[in-house]
């Protein structure tokens, strides 16, 4: 399998395209630039099987409906944010985008537990990692040594917790009990900025000192 990081939308949020040899793919957090992103997927002959959302802040969901409609693929989100897609007040777009506030249709599947998630040939471990937002989740693909962490953990930083539903202590607990338990060579595919590894953040992330 291989994956591609594509910054999209007003905040250049990282979307990720994880693809197997048959060009079946899982899309993470398509944050915007829907027409351009869809054209790129079609030009690459990629067949998206699903859209997995790490959480429902506006900068992660801007192209959800366009991609879903273009490829007829289902959207997954944690049950804690079931209503955030449809509500600009909850997803933050009314606060940050004003008259350009966005919404999307409800998700097709709600994640309710930390079970294995099977989508075609892809199998993810789903970790509930709240703190940045109540329904934040991370998707770990053990076979490829990568975790799609959304806005929980960044290179040399962590997610902000000053937005509605954020909780700093809860985020630190999520990172410590879920993400830092992964092998140190695990790639962390974050919602913004460059990728990193669990080991790098254990050793040098100033927000995680003492962990």
């Amino acid at each position: 399998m291989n994956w591609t990081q594509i910054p999209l939308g007003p905040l250049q949020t990282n979307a990720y395209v994880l693809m197997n040899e048959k060009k079946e793919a899982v899309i993470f957090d398509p944050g915007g630039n829907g027409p351009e992103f869809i054209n790129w997927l079609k030009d690459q002959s990629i067949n998206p099987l699903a859209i997995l959302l790490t959480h429902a802040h506006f900068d992660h969901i801007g192209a959800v409906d366009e991609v879903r409609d273009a490829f007829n693929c289902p959207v997954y989100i944690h049950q804690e944010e079931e209503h955030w897609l449809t509500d600009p007040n909850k997803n933050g777009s009314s606060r940050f985008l004003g008259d350009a506030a966005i919404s999307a249709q409800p998700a097709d599947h709600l994640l309710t537990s930390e079970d294995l998630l099977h989508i075609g040939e892809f199998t993810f471990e789903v970790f509930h990692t709240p703190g940045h937002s109540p329904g934040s989740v991370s998707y770990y693909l053990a076979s490829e040594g990568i975790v799609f962490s959304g806005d929980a953990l960044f290179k040399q930083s962590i997610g902000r917790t000053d937005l509605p539903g954020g909780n700093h202590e809860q985020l630190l607990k999520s990172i410590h009990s879920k993400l830092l338990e992964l092998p140190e060579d695990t790639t962390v595919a974050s919602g913004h900025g460059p990728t990193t590894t669990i080991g790098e953040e254990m050793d040098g992330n100033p927000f995680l000192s003492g962990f």
Side-chain angles (χ1 to χ4, degrees), residues 128-134 165-175:
H128 186 205
T129 47
H132 174 66
S133 70
N167 184 304
H168 184 74
E169 293 303 319
Q170 187 180 47
L171 177 58
L172 290 177
K173 181 179 179 181
S174 293
I175 294 170

Side-chain angles (χ1 to χ4, degrees), residues 4-86:
T4 303
Q5 179 193 72
I6 306 176
L8 296 174
L11 300 185
Q12 290 292 277
T13 302
N14 290 329
Y16 292 94
V17 179
L18 176 69
M19 183 175 65
N20 64 19
E21 293 181 354
K22 295 187 288 188
K23 293 202 168 184
E24 296 170 331
V26 173
I27 310 295
F28 296 88
D29 293 352
N33 303 109
E36 296 86 353
F37 183 47
I38 290 166
N39 286 337
W40 180 83
L41 291 167
K42 290 181 176 179
D43 287 344
Q44 302 296 316
S45 299
I46 294 172
N47 175 29
L49 302 181
I51 298 168
L52 302 186
L53 298 177
T54 60
H55 64 295
H57 281 149
F58 72 94
D59 57 314
H60 291 251
I61 66 171
V64 162
D65 280 352
E66 291 168 295
V67 175
R68 171 167 41 188
D69 291 345
F71 298 100
N72 192 30
C73 55
V75 174
Y76 291 73
I77 198 168
H78 194 273
Q79 63 177 349
E80 289 286 340
E81 295 179 16
E82 176 181 2
H83 302 295
W84 287 37
L85 289 170
T86 60

Side-chain angles (χ1 to χ4, degrees), residues 109-167:
H109 299 286
L110 298 178
L111 302 170
T112 60
S113 62
E114 294 185 312
D115 293 330
L116 293 177
L117 177 61
H118 302 283
I119 298 173
E121 296 181 353
F122 303 89
T123 299
F124 301 96
E125 292 181 52
V126 178
F127 302 135
H128 186 205
T129 47
H132 174 66
S133 70
S136 287
V137 294
S138 299
Y139 300 90
Y140 175 50
L141 187 66
S143 62
E144 301 298 317
I146 186 169
V147 61
F148 299 89
S149 67
D151 288 0
L153 179 63
F154 301 122
K155 185 177 180 65
Q156 295 293 289
S157 188
I158 62 174
R160 61 186 296 180
T161 56
D162 59 336
L163 300 173
N167 184 304

Side-chain angles (χ1 to χ4, degrees), residues 90-113:
K90 292 183 183 299
N91 66 46
S93 61
S94 61
R95 173 182 178 183
F96 289 97
L97 301 181
D99 292 339
I102 64 172
S103 61
Q105 294 300 307
D108 302 283
H109 299 286
L110 298 178
L111 302 170
T112 60
S113 62

